[in-house]
Amino acid sequence: MAGGFKAGFVRLMQYLQDPEHVARFQRLCGVRATEPRDRLGNGAPYVRHEDVQNGGGDGIRRRDAEKEKRNNGVANGAAACTGDDAMGSTVKPMRRNSLTGDVGQDFLIENKLLYYLFTFGTELGNELFYISFFPYLMWGVDAFVSRRLVVVWVWVMYLGQCTKDVFRWPRPSSPPVVKVEVFYNSEYSMPSTHAMSSTAIPLSLLLITCSRWEYPLMLGVFLAVTWCVLVCLSRIYMGMHSILDIIAGVLYSLLIILIFGPALDTIDTFNQTHPYAPVLIVSLHLGLGLFSFTLDTWSTSRGDTAQILGSGAGIALASHVNYKVGLLPDPPMSMLPLQPPPFTLSLIGICALRFILGVIILLATRAVMKALTIPLVCRLFGIPSNDVRKARQHMEVELPYRYITYGTVGFNALFFVPFVFSHIGLL
């Protein structure tokens, strides 16, 4: 009985991991390859799970037949099309990786609406979103909510990135998958950290605010579910994850929130009030980073993890400083639940001005710190800095650069920017 259950479970996992499902979803959404490919973007050949049982003979014959079929399809498509409008627009993969130089292959988009929708969805898990969303909560909504949400985000993303480097599963193979995005193609696949963050952030936002703010609860649930589903589907659309990666990411995120969620109030209070909090914040985030970076080959995972830990440390330090100087104080419990202010032109204008000015300060901070730290660290460790792309792939450069740069960005987001706002009448 146990053996049969185990065999059935393994078959289910293999079925959910099959890249054919990803490719089928892409074709359903109007994504087509412009030319056949024989290899993965990360260098691994495409082999079905059932082909392993017979030494790959069936897989070789199948791939030969599929390759001939694709070649014929591409030739027929080229003969039938006289322009982009015949089959769709030819598009380059999103966000070329400046560190790996991977540019991917061209592909056809037959449904532009879905392309833009899923592009938006996948950006909800990228750096530009985080550097905009979290500060907006800090400056325009509720610093209390943003502090705790960042703690959850750091937990989820750190554990997700570490788990990827433990499993070391490759991305869905191409062919049959079309790589609509290539920026994260050098990372491992299991679990999907986009799925983890898109589960943790809206769910935690709902749990933190439901008893703190007055708003329609069902509207919050609908937005949280929509957010999660959109991001998860976008990762399959982009060709970055299998169905199994997505399911595992969602379940893993729920497990992390279930285990660590009760400690959220204690952690936030400690960060604000304990006299030794700054020392522990810096040492803990540095220790977690050094403990996790044992990659066999370089990928964007290491830098992203250092970036997340640095941001979390900077924001936690800023919460401690804010508490000491009385900046962005939490409202007394007697005022809860809070009511959203009425939307007026004046309120919209102030929020827009805060957001624009604040993001400019953060982007300037990132640019300045990046320009200062990379040459400095290269000189400190004797690494040539004439090729920045190669220099940043050295752990001695990447970790300090990411940690210091994004630690400063996080600190400025919660302390320096509100401090500026308070002195120019925007707070």
Side-chain angles (χ1 to χ4, degrees):
M1 179 71 70
F5 174 79
K6 182 178 179 180
F9 180 77
V10 170
R11 285 195 299 270
L12 176 62
M13 296 300 101
Q14 292 175 344
Y15 175 82
L16 293 174
Q17 197 184 5
D18 192 339
E20 284 288 353
H21 301 313
V22 179
R24 191 176 298 115
F25 180 77
Q26 288 183 315
R27 290 192 295 269
L28 180 66
C29 295
V31 178
R32 297 285 188 274
T34 56
E35 60 183 24
R37 297 184 67 182
D38 297 323
R39 305 290 291 181
L40 258 173
N42 57 9
Y46 165 49
V47 180
R48 292 176 182 246
H49 294 286
E50 59 267 26
D51 296 337
V52 177
Q53 303 300 324
N54 58 16
D58 290 346
I60 294 172
R61 289 188 292 272
R62 184 186 297 111
R63 288 195 297 276
D64 289 341
E66 290 176 351
K67 182 177 179 181
E68 181 179 357
K69 181 179 179 181
R70 286 193 302 270
N71 284 331
N72 292 336
V74 170
N76 294 337
C81 295
T82 57
D84 287 344
D85 292 336
M87 288 192 60
S89 300
T90 303
V91 181
K92 283 281 189 183
M94 296 172 52
R95 303 178 71 227
R96 180 180 68 87
N97 194 321
S98 61
L99 292 180
T100 64
D102 188 7
V103 296
Q105 67 167 147
D106 292 353
F107 51 87
L108 291 173
I109 294 297
E110 297 175 355
N111 191 321
K112 290 186 178 181
L113 178 61
L114 288 179
Y115 174 73
Y116 292 128
L117 177 65
F118 288 129
T119 297
F120 171 76
T122 203
E123 287 300 324
L124 292 178
N126 290 336
E127 179 186 352
L128 181 61
F129 168 74
Y130 295 135
I131 206 172
S132 304
F133 176 71
F134 290 130
Y136 175 77
L137 284 180
M138 297 171 190
W139 311 328
V141 181
D142 192 342
F144 174 93
V145 173
S146 65
R147 292 196 313 264
R148 297 177 178 226
L149 199 59
V150 167
V151 172
V152 174
W153 173 68
V154 172
W155 290 342
V156 166
M157 295 299 290
Y158 173 76
L159 292 174
Q161 294 285 15
C162 290
T163 304
K164 282 185 178 183
D165 295 331
V166 171
F167 281 98
R168 299 184 178 183
W169 288 6
R171 297 283 183 178
S173 53
S174 175
V177 173
V178 177
K179 298 295 183 179
V180 180
E181 180 185 85
V182 296
F183 185 82
Y184 293 109
N185 200 44
S186 60
E187 287 186 13
Y188 295 114
S189 181
M190 175 70 175
S192 167
T193 48
H194 270 76
M196 292 181 69
S197 68
S198 70
T199 302
I201 292 177
L203 177 59
S204 299
L205 189 60
L206 185 66
L207 294 175
I208 295 171
T209 60
C210 65
S211 60
R212 183 174 176 82
W213 285 85
E214 287 188 353
Y215 62 88
L217 181 60
M218 291 310 299
L219 176 61
V221 173
F222 172 77
L223 292 177
V225 172
T226 301
W227 183 340
C228 180
V229 171
L230 177 59
V231 175
C232 291
L233 291 180
S234 74
R235 301 313 287 163
I236 300 176
Y237 179 91
M238 295 294 166
M240 288 289 100
H241 287 288
S242 67
I243 297 175
L244 181 60
D245 297 337
I246 298 297
I247 294 175
V250 171
L251 295 179
Y252 193 19
S253 186
L254 293 175
L255 179 64
I256 292 171
I257 293 174
L258 180 65
I259 294 175
F260 293 101
L264 192 57
D265 183 70
T266 303
I267 292 172
D268 185 52
T269 303
F270 176 86
N271 288 343
Q272 286 189 294
T273 61
H274 199 280
Y276 296 115
V279 176
L280 186 60
I281 288 169
V282 173
S283 58
L284 177 63
H285 287 78
L286 278 174
L288 289 174
L290 294 174
F291 174 77
S292 66
F293 299 130
T294 57
L295 300 180
D296 51 347
T297 58
W298 182 89
S299 78
T300 53
S301 174
R302 185 170 64 197
D304 288 346
T305 308
Q307 182 172 312
I308 292 162
L309 291 171
S311 301
I315 290 172
L317 283 174
S319 69
H320 184 82
V321 175
N322 285 355
Y323 181 81
K324 293 297 184 182
V325 301
L327 186 64
L328 296 178
D330 296 333
M333 295 294 293
S334 59
M335 293 181 60
L336 302 181
L338 303 173
Q339 293 183 351
F343 284 94
T344 63
L345 290 177
S346 176
L347 177 64
I348 295 173
I350 290 175
C351 289
L353 190 57
R354 284 178 188 169
F355 181 76
I356 294 171
L357 180 59
V359 169
I360 289 174
I361 293 175
L362 296 187
L363 293 177
T365 301
R366 185 180 67 171
V368 170
M369 294 304 299
K370 178 179 177 180
L372 291 176
T373 54
I374 292 179
L376 181 62
V377 175
C378 285
R379 181 175 298 181
L380 182 64
F381 288 98
I383 297 172
S385 60
N386 54 331
D387 190 337
V388 176
R389 187 175 74 178
K390 289 184 178 180
R392 285 173 58 184
Q393 294 186 13
H394 289 269
M395 185 176 71
E396 299 86 349
V397 175
E398 189 170 39
L399 298 192
Y401 146 64
R402 297 270 191 165
Y403 194 89
I404 295 172
T405 298
Y406 286 92
T408 306
V409 170
F411 184 84
N412 284 356
L414 190 56
F415 172 73
F416 181 71
V417 173
F419 180 79
V420 171
F421 289 166
S422 66
H423 281 73
I424 63 176
L426 282 179
L427 196 62

